[in-house]
Each structure stands twice: as C-alpha cells, then as structure tokens.
C-alpha cells in the first residue's frame, strides 16, 4: 500500500506593523450606508419609546405638583408633593376599590386559566368527531361582542339569581373558560410534539397525569401569556362593573371608581393624576417582571395551526 506524504504549508507571518491596505471607495460607501442605517433604526426606536413614555412621565410629574401649579403651564413640580398619594389613599372607598379589583382580577384569572387549559388540550391533542366544529364555535365566541348578550345575561344574574350589586356575575362565568384564552392555549399546545405525550402514555400515565406532568411544564410561556391577558382585561374592565356593580359603591373596582374620583376632584388634577398612577402601577409592575414569559408565549403561539 502506497504511503501518502502529508505536505504542510507553513503559516504566513503577518507583520502587525505592516501598513493596512487602503480602503476602497466601495467599502467606504458600504460602511457609511451601514452607519446611516444604524442611526436611522435607533432614532426611530428612541422616537417610539418617547412617544409611549412621555405621557406617563407627564402624569407622574403632574401628580407631584401642588394644587395651584397644576393650573399653570409648568411641566416640572416646584415642590415635590408626595403627600398627594397619601390623600388618594385616604379617600373613602379607594382601598375598597383596590380590594375588589384584586379579587376580580386575581380570582378571575385563576378560574379562567384553570378552566381553559383542559379544553385547549382536548382541542389540540385529541382526535374526536366534531373537533373542528368545536373549534369554530370557540372562534365564533371570540367574534361575539359582550354588548350583544348583556341584556339576557343581566336579567339572569340580577333577576333570577339576585346577584346585582356584586362582582360575582363577572367572576363566576370565568370558571367555564374564555374563548380567547382557549384559542391562544390551543395554538400554543399545538407546538408541543406528540412524541412527548406518547412516551408518557407508554410509561403508564393517564391523560390527566400527562397533562399535569408533561404538558403544563412545557406550556408555561403560553399559560403566562394567557394569565397576563386575562389579568390586564379584568384590571381595566369598566363595562362589566358599570353594569353589575354600579348600584353598590362597596363593590366598585378601580376602573369604575376612578371615574367617580375624577368627578369629585375635577379641579384637583394632581390628585386625579396620582390616583391614575396608583391604578396603572400594578399592571406596569406585573408586566415588567413577567415580560419575558409573556413575549415568549406570544411569539411561540400560532407557529403551528
């Protein structure tokens, strides 16, 4: 057998002190174009950020002004009136609105997620007659405005069950699933490979155990996105509390109570802005700490249909 001789090419020595080749006009043009593109993209990003941030900054600065300064054109407080927030909390009923909103948003979100996951799992992973029809019904419910069915629903909850003046007509239906949450979770669960589920079934797991031990840990981003969507909806809901709880101030939420607060302090813009900041702050904090899971869940949802 003939032996092959390996020929080694000596590495080329590069003198660091040697002059670099001159930059050609084409390379100079390309670099200039890349720099201009970088400046344009970042300028648009900064402009968009300011577009969304400046109104919030204006609200915060106004909330820290004195009563007289809010009626001027000043943008920065002369004296930082942190006591405005204390005055808002001392307003009769404000803490009750907080408690009601936390109950509505917290319990409602938990019920929506718990009731929507099994339905979404069945629509995503089970093969049964009428599955496509069921999915079309869910999508149809997403397109149905709540104002269309508000009259019969109000008559049912208020006249038949005598629950007007409370938030229970808004909380109890969340225990039966939400069309948007079901559809969003179904789209996310479709991205989970069936091989994982088949392996769990081979190991002796039933459908419930497969859902709890395999599907739920892999669906955390989608569940987080659904939970945040539902929490934001319940926290900002004005229409529902206006219909069912308007007759009972003890059942008002922050979104509905803020309208009453603004009417009582229509000239005290600093207190109105302070109350607005206190209403927005929990939503901003929740999104700030959960934005990674939220963005991941929304990005991955809908990859597979």
């Amino acid at each position: 057998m003939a032996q092959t001789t390996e020929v080694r090419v000596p590495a080329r020595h590069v003198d660091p002190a040697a002059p670099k080749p001159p930059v050609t006009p084409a390379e100079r043009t390309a670099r200039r174009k890349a720099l201009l593109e970088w400046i344009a993209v970042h300028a648009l990003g900064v402009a968009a950020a300011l577009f969304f941030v400046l109104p919030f900054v204006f609200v915060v600065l106004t909330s820290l002004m004195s009563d007289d300064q809010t009626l001027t054109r000043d943008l920065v407080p002369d004296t930082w009136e942190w006591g405005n927030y204390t005055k808002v909390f001392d307003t009769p009923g404000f803490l009750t609105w907080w408690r009601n909103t936390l109950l509505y948003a917290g319990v409602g979100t938990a019920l929506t997620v718990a009731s929507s996951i099994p339905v979404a799992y069945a629509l995503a992973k089970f093969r049964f007659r009428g599955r496509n029809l069921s999915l079309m019904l869910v999508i149809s419910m997403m397109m149905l405005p709540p104002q269309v069915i508000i009259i019969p629903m109000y008559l049912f909850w208020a006249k038949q069950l005598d629950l007007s003046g409370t938030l229970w007509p808004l909380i109890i239906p969340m225990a039966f699933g939400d069309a948007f949450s079901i559809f969003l979770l179904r789209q996310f669960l479709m991205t989970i490979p069936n091989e994982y589920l088949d392996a769990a079934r081979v190991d002796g797991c039933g459908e419930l155990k497969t859902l709890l031990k395999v599907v739920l840990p892999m669906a955390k981003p989608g569940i987080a996105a659904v939970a945040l969507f539902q929490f934001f909806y319940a926290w900002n809901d004005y229409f529902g509390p206006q219909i069912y709880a308007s007759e009972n101030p003890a059942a008002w939420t922050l979104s509905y109570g803020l309208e009453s607060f603004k009417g009582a302090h229509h000239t005290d813009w600093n207190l109105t802005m302070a109350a607005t900041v206190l209403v927005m702050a929990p939503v901003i904090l929740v999104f700030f700490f959960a934005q990674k899971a939220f963005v991941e869940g929304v990005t991955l949802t809908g990859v597979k249909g």
Side-chain angles (χ1 to χ4, degrees):
M1 181 181 296
Q3 295 183 352
T4 58
T5 303
E6 182 179 358
V7 179
R8 295 184 179 180
V9 179
R12 183 179 178 182
H13 177 70
V14 179
D15 186 6
K20 296 181 180 180
V23 180
T24 62
E27 293 176 345
R28 189 179 297 109
T29 303
R31 292 179 182 179
R32 187 181 298 112
K33 182 179 179 181
L35 178 61
L36 292 176
E37 290 179 354
W38 184 89
I39 294 175
V41 170
H42 286 75
L44 290 176
V46 172
L50 292 176
F51 179 79
F52 289 102
V53 171
L54 286 180
F56 180 74
V57 173
F58 173 78
V59 171
V60 174
L61 292 178
T62 306
S63 68
L64 296 173
M65 292 182 180
S66 61
D67 296 339
D68 297 333
Q69 191 180 4
T70 55
L71 302 178
T72 64
R73 297 182 178 181
D74 297 340
L75 297 178
V76 180
D78 294 334
T79 58
W80 300 85
E81 302 289 341
W82 297 99
N84 293 337
Y85 291 93
T86 305
K87 294 179 182 178
V88 172
F89 273 110
D90 292 339
T91 302
F94 193 82
L95 292 178
T96 302
W97 303 342
W98 258 85
R99 184 177 64 252
N100 295 336
T101 306
L102 287 175
L103 174 67
Y104 178 28
V107 176
T109 299
L111 291 176
T112 300
V113 173
S115 58
S116 299
I117 289 176
V119 181
Y121 176 63
L123 292 176
K125 298 301 180 181
F126 289 175
R127 298 292 183 269
F128 57 90
R129 182 178 299 178
R131 187 184 70 158
N132 293 333
L133 178 61
S134 301
L135 180 60
M136 292 301 299
L137 290 176
V138 171
I139 297 175
S140 300
M141 292 301 297
M142 292 172 54
M143 301 177 182
L144 186 66
Q147 291 81 3
V148 174
I149 59 174
I150 191 60
I151 294 179
M153 293 298 296
Y154 178 81
L155 293 177
F156 172 75
W157 291 107
K159 303 301 181 181
Q160 301 297 325
L161 301 182
D162 195 23
L163 289 178
S164 61
T166 67
L167 294 175
W168 293 114
L170 301 174
I171 297 176
I172 294 176
M174 295 183 181
F176 300 94
D178 173 70
F180 176 76
S181 301
I182 292 172
F183 178 76
L184 195 66
L185 281 172
R186 184 257 180 189
Q187 295 301 105
F188 186 89
L189 295 180
M190 291 290 291
T191 64
I192 298 178
N194 294 328
E195 287 76 9
Y196 291 102
L197 281 66
D198 296 337
R201 297 187 183 105
V202 170
D203 291 339
C205 294
E207 293 299 336
L208 180 59
K209 192 173 182 179
T210 301
L211 174 62
L212 297 177
K213 298 295 184 180
V214 179
V215 176
L216 291 188
M218 301 179 66
K220 286 182 179 179
I223 296 174
V226 168
L228 286 176
F229 273 125
Q230 185 62 34
F231 182 84
F232 294 160
Y233 166 77
W235 188 273
N236 298 317
D237 186 19
Y238 179 86
F239 179 74
Q242 182 188 28
I243 296 298
Y244 293 106
S246 59
E247 62 189 63
N248 182 17
W252 287 1
T253 59
L254 284 173
S255 58
Y256 188 74
L258 185 62
E259 183 69 23
S260 174
F261 184 92
K262 185 178 69 174
H265 301 83
H266 60 278
T267 58
D268 301 327
W269 287 105
N270 51 349
L271 298 182
T272 302
M273 294 301 180
T276 303
V277 172
L278 292 176
V279 173
M280 293 189 301
V283 176
I284 296 175
L285 291 176
V286 168
F287 181 78
F288 178 79
F289 288 105
Q291 61 179 329
K292 182 178 179 180
F294 176 77
V295 173
E296 183 179 357
V298 173
T299 302
L300 295 178
T301 301
V303 174
K304 184 177 180 181

